[in-house]
Amino acid sequence: MNGNGTHGIPAHEPADIAPRLAKARRTLNSGAAEDAAALFAALRGEAARLGLVPERAAALVGLGDCALESGDLAEARDHFAEAELLLADEPLPCRVPALRGRATAHLLAGELRYCCYLLESALDELNASEARDPGALLLLYTAAIAPYMDMGAHARAARAAELALGLAAQVDDPVLVASTHRGVARTLVAEGRFAEADASLTKAQELCSRLRIRTELAHCHWMRGYVHAQDGNLAAAERELRTAREMLASKKAPLFRVQVEVELADVLRRRGRADEAAALLAPLLAPSALGAERGAVHAGGAHRLLGLMAEDRGETDTAEEHYCAALSLLERTGAAGDLADLCRLLGDLLRRTGRTDAALNAYRTGLGHRAAPGTTTLGPAPPLPLRRLVG
């Protein structure tokens, strides 16, 4: 032992853990999830030895966020749940980052309803309390947009986006503000307001670029690709999705990267490059890439695309197998737009092959879901209803 600490490792005072937590968070935001995880793990152990509960919980939330980046959803849930347990006696705003993280892990696993339950329960409690914390509310409203959209609850998503935008000016967290603008963009797509969606993403990207927030910037490129794909601008969609894919690959975020690859494959197929799309999809169907526990919505999307390409080749049996595999994945999630679109594809295939009763069953399965712009993960935006002209 020397004067600086044990075994040559410098000793740290409790007061310096907070800035080191901030440094670990900046490391994660820059795209170095592995380096950030090492920093958070060291801080968790140090905070535990010093009996610093809030700092230990913050380190656990950081570890959970790193696990989300690496695609280990079970590990992420465990970290977030441990942080919530540590903070069980603290006011709700203190627990919100951990709760939001756990809800996000469930969302990525395709458990949309439970994700919404967690977020809505916290929002109800927070809004009923006297101390309405704007940062905690913004975290929850922003996190709720994606599951609401996936489930087809457009009005709720739009309301969450509206409330989030109203809170953004009160919060000094550029990553959260950028994420809010990204979520708002998706609600605008559902209303056919593509130019406004693009403008919202421009704000988010400018903020991320200026502050070198690489992780969120990659997600902004991803969402911009989605907006262009829904708007039918396939060349721009391919460009943005390739940019997002490269950024996510370089920062070792495998789960998000493969999800982007599914959306890129859809764009390539729509551009007439089915062979390239198939080559991109082939490795994604391994359990370690996607599946019920690692991106069920995009795993279903991959099977949907492979089914479409099989139909184009006249391989109806193979197409049916892929559509049924996709349906099995998506029915667990409640992703309304994707389910409605898939049931239509499967029903049409069954009808064309003379199996009318089976086709009717597929259509019935999809009747409870309505596809609209902004609800389908893949494919062109369904047409908006015709408006009646008066006068």
Side-chain angles (χ1 to χ4, degrees):
M1 177 174 175
N2 60 32
N4 291 327
T6 305
H7 302 301
I9 300 173
H12 292 286
E13 295 296 327
D16 82 342
I17 288 187
R20 288 160 60 214
L21 281 166
K23 179 184 177 183
R25 178 61 60 176
R26 287 193 301 272
T27 301
L28 176 60
N29 292 340
S30 73
E34 288 184 355
D35 293 341
L39 294 172
F40 282 124
L43 287 164
R44 174 188 56 181
E46 194 170 328
R49 288 193 298 275
L50 294 170
L52 303 175
V53 173
E55 289 80 0
R56 181 181 170 193
L60 282 164
V61 170
L63 284 170
D65 288 334
C66 292
L68 289 181
E69 287 292 311
S70 67
D72 193 334
L73 302 184
E75 181 181 328
R77 283 195 298 268
D78 289 345
H79 286 312
F80 292 129
E82 186 179 349
E84 284 185 83
L85 189 62
L86 278 173
L87 299 172
D89 296 328
E90 298 297 324
L92 178 57
C94 297
R95 304 195 305 274
V96 161
L99 187 148
R100 189 277 302 258
R102 186 159 61 93
T104 301
H106 285 291
L107 168 66
L108 291 171
E111 298 160 356
L112 306 184
R113 293 183 183 89
Y114 188 61
C115 170
C116 288
Y117 165 76
L118 289 174
L119 297 172
E120 288 176 348
S121 299
L123 280 166
D124 288 344
E125 184 179 342
L126 204 55
N127 279 314
S129 67
E130 294 181 3
R132 296 177 73 256
D133 185 283
L137 286 168
L138 183 58
L139 271 173
L140 295 172
Y141 281 127
T142 297
I145 294 171
Y148 280 153
M149 290 301 299
D150 285 344
M151 292 179 67
H154 310 139
R156 289 190 179 192
R159 179 59 176 160
E162 178 186 356
L163 292 168
L165 275 180
L167 290 162
Q170 304 174 47
V171 175
D172 185 23
D173 182 342
V175 176
L176 179 53
V177 171
S179 179
T180 298
H181 284 298
R182 182 161 52 84
V184 167
R186 188 170 176 193
T187 67
L188 293 170
V189 169
E191 299 169 9
R193 296 157 63 185
F194 294 103
E196 292 172 67
D198 200 56
S200 185
L201 287 171
T202 297
K203 292 178 185 175
Q205 284 186 268
E206 288 174 350
L207 184 61
C208 293
S209 296
R210 188 172 70 250
L211 298 176
R212 298 183 180 180
I213 306 170
R214 188 172 174 80
T215 298
E216 182 61 31
L217 182 59
H219 285 265
C220 286
H221 282 290
W222 181 1
M223 180 57 73
R224 190 163 238 157
Y226 172 83
V227 170
H228 287 314
Q230 291 277 304
D231 197 22
N233 190 348
L234 299 184
E238 180 181 349
R239 183 172 61 249
E240 293 290 346
L241 290 172
R242 285 194 183 280
T243 299
R245 180 193 181 205
E246 289 169 7
M247 294 178 72
L248 291 166
S250 69
K251 71 187 192 70
K252 299 179 182 178
L255 176 58
F256 295 130
R257 176 182 55 78
V258 295
Q259 290 182 352
V260 168
E261 287 174 346
V262 174
E263 297 187 32
L264 177 58
D266 177 60
V267 169
L268 292 172
R269 186 193 69 83
R270 290 165 63 191
R271 298 194 77 187
R273 291 148 62 187
D275 289 344
E276 288 181 58
L280 199 57
L281 289 172
L284 304 188
L285 296 183
S288 60
L290 285 171
E293 277 295 312
R294 295 188 88 239
V297 172
H298 282 79
H303 280 292
R304 170 195 176 275
L305 280 176
L306 289 167
L308 282 170
M309 289 187 283
E311 275 203 83
D312 291 341
R313 296 190 301 269
E315 301 171 4
T316 54
D317 288 346
T318 301
E320 183 180 344
E321 289 175 8
H322 281 299
Y323 290 153
C324 289
L327 189 61
S328 175
L329 286 162
L330 292 173
E331 278 189 313
R332 304 171 196 165
T333 70
D338 288 304
L339 271 168
D341 179 60
L342 183 63
C343 288
R344 176 186 60 80
L345 289 171
L346 179 59
D348 289 351
L349 173 66
L350 294 168
R351 180 175 52 80
R352 283 194 299 272
T353 54
R355 288 170 287 169
T356 306
D357 288 344
L360 287 172
N361 286 334
Y363 292 138
R364 286 190 189 103
T365 301
L367 277 176
H369 312 291
R370 181 174 62 87
T375 65
T376 52
T377 304
L378 305 175
L384 291 168
L386 292 175
R387 295 189 179 179
R388 191 169 161 189
L389 298 178
V390 180

